[in-house]
Amino acid sequence: MPISLQAKLLRALQEKSVTPIGSHIAIPVDVRVIATTNRNMVEEIKQGNFREDLYYRLNVFPLSTLSLSERPLDIIPISTVLIERHCRKKEDIPNLSTTARDLLINYTWPGNVRELENVIQRALVLSDGTTINSEDIIID
């Protein structure tokens, strides 16, 4: 996020109001911000890429999550939800074979859930419609 936009966001959060483009009247806002990043924000601040005051405004309740590869027990439940999401009819939902499950669990998932979703979508296209097998799982 450019520094100029960071200043505008900080101002909106502090003043709890925004001024629409072309207007001179501030509109009150009541917002909650959930921000996420895969960058080391302390380093970004040191390098001048992120405003320290905005960081502390946003860092009220920090949460850290584990990568998907650090949560292998979550891979199959997430895969199941993704399969259901991408199937039009409930009766068309294929099962994951044991070998497909093992392949998904043992992969490192550097792209996390987004990568898993892409793999699941490909597997749905390649599967026979009733079972997703290991040969249907194509990982980049």
Side-chain angles (χ1 to χ4, degrees), residues 15 18-19 21-22 27-28 30 32-33 35 39 45-46 55 67 78 86 89 97 107 112 116 126 132 134:
E15 295 175 9
V18 294
T19 305
I21 295 175
I27 299 172
D30 182 16
R32 304 295 178 270
V33 177
R39 297 184 182 179
I45 291 166
K46 285 179 185 175
Y55 172 74
S67 68
I78 292 171
H86 292 289
K89 299 177 185 172
S97 71
Y107 183 64
N112 279 312
L116 175 59
L126 296 172
I132 294 175
S134 60

Side-chain angles (χ1 to χ4, degrees), residues 85-131:
R85 180 184 296 166
H86 292 289
C87 288
R88 295 179 194 261
K89 299 177 185 172
K90 204 73 159 166
E91 58 271 5
D92 292 341
I93 297 173
N95 294 315
L96 276 170
S97 71
T98 304
T99 55
R101 288 172 186 255
D102 291 343
L103 189 60
L104 293 173
I105 290 169
N106 292 317
Y107 183 64
T108 57
W109 300 109
N112 279 312
V113 177
R114 286 185 205 101
E115 182 183 11
L116 175 59
E117 185 167 19
N118 290 343
V119 169
I120 293 297
Q121 285 179 307
R122 271 187 234 129
L124 286 168
V125 170
L126 296 172
S127 75
D128 64 10
T130 59
T131 304

Side-chain angles (χ1 to χ4, degrees), residues 49-106:
N49 297 326
F50 201 83
R51 291 177 60 115
E52 187 173 16
D53 48 358
L54 179 56
Y55 172 74
Y56 287 113
R57 174 67 66 176
L58 294 173
N59 197 34
V60 174
F61 193 83
L63 297 173
S64 294
T65 59
L66 299 173
S67 68
L68 190 54
S69 61
E70 294 172 300
R71 303 177 287 143
L73 296 177
D74 291 344
I75 293 172
I76 299 308
I78 292 171
S79 298
T80 302
V81 168
L82 294 172
I83 290 168
E84 290 173 0
R85 180 184 296 166
H86 292 289
C87 288
R88 295 179 194 261
K89 299 177 185 172
K90 204 73 159 166
E91 58 271 5
D92 292 341
I93 297 173
N95 294 315
L96 276 170
S97 71
T98 304
T99 55
R101 288 172 186 255
D102 291 343
L103 189 60
L104 293 173
I105 290 169
N106 292 317

